[in-house]
């Protein structure tokens, strides 16, 4: 999840603490509590902006709101995470695409030269 997708109070130190809590979960109740804290930090306006015209605000709002009422099962959590991932994927794809030219200009990778047959 990009840093800008989370509310201002979500700093790198808060993120590290959240990761530690996530790693220490030992029950579904623990996992749901940690995820609830994460969901509370999601900036819905950012999700709308990064999706542009592709997804309406209502879909984003419903996805975030549905977390609280979903069944407390690992399957429900997994499906919800897939939905969240689908909302974030267009932004991540755009960032990845924008970084490709950067890599070539920094000299880390050279573009492949096509072989010409004589």
């Amino acid at each position: 999840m990009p840093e800008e997708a989370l509310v201002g109070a979500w700093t790198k130190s808060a993120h590290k603490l959240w990761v530690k809590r996530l790693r220490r979960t030992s029950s579904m109740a623990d996992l749901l509590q940690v995820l609830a804290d994460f969901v509370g930090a999601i900036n819905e306006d950012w999700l709308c902006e990064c999706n542009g015209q592709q997804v309406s605000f209502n879909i984003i709002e419903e996805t975030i709101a549905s977390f609280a009422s979903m069944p407390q099962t690992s399957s429900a959590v997994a499906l919800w995470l897939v939905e969240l991932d689908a909302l974030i994927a267009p932004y991540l794809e755009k960032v990845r695409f924008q970084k490709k030219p950067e890599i070539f200009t920094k000299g880390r990778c050279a573009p492949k030269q096509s072989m010409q047959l004589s």
Side-chain angles (χ1 to χ4, degrees):
M1 187 75 146
E3 215 173 301
E4 58 270 15
L6 302 166
V7 293
W10 190 272
T11 61
K12 287 189 184 225
S13 61
H15 180 263
K16 288 178 184 178
L17 176 61
W18 182 83
V19 170
K20 285 180 185 178
R21 286 180 56 210
L22 184 61
R23 288 183 178 156
R24 283 187 259 166
T25 59
S26 59
S27 69
M28 185 54 114
D30 290 346
L31 176 63
L32 288 170
Q33 181 57 55
V34 173
L35 284 176
D37 293 344
F38 173 72
V39 170
I42 293 175
N43 182 347
E44 292 179 34
D45 292 335
W46 180 88
L47 279 174
C48 286
E49 289 172 21
C50 83
N51 278 292
Q53 300 295 328
Q54 296 175 6
V55 178
S56 74
F57 182 73
N58 290 338
I59 292 172
I60 291 168
E61 198 172 53
E62 286 173 21
T63 300
I64 301 302
S66 70
F67 180 81
S69 62
M70 73 179 180
Q72 296 187 354
T73 65
S74 56
S75 298
V77 170
L79 286 172
W80 186 87
L81 288 171
V82 167
E83 286 182 32
L84 180 64
D85 184 59
L87 293 174
I88 299 166
Y91 170 81
L92 296 177
E93 192 64 30
K94 183 171 65 173
V95 168
R96 188 178 67 111
F97 180 75
Q98 289 172 347
K99 285 187 177 184
K100 277 186 181 180
E102 223 176 82
I103 291 171
F104 290 123
T105 59
K106 288 183 180 178
R108 290 187 200 156
C109 295
K112 290 184 178 178
Q113 299 293 324
S114 61
M115 296 180 72
Q116 294 180 1
L117 298 173
S118 317

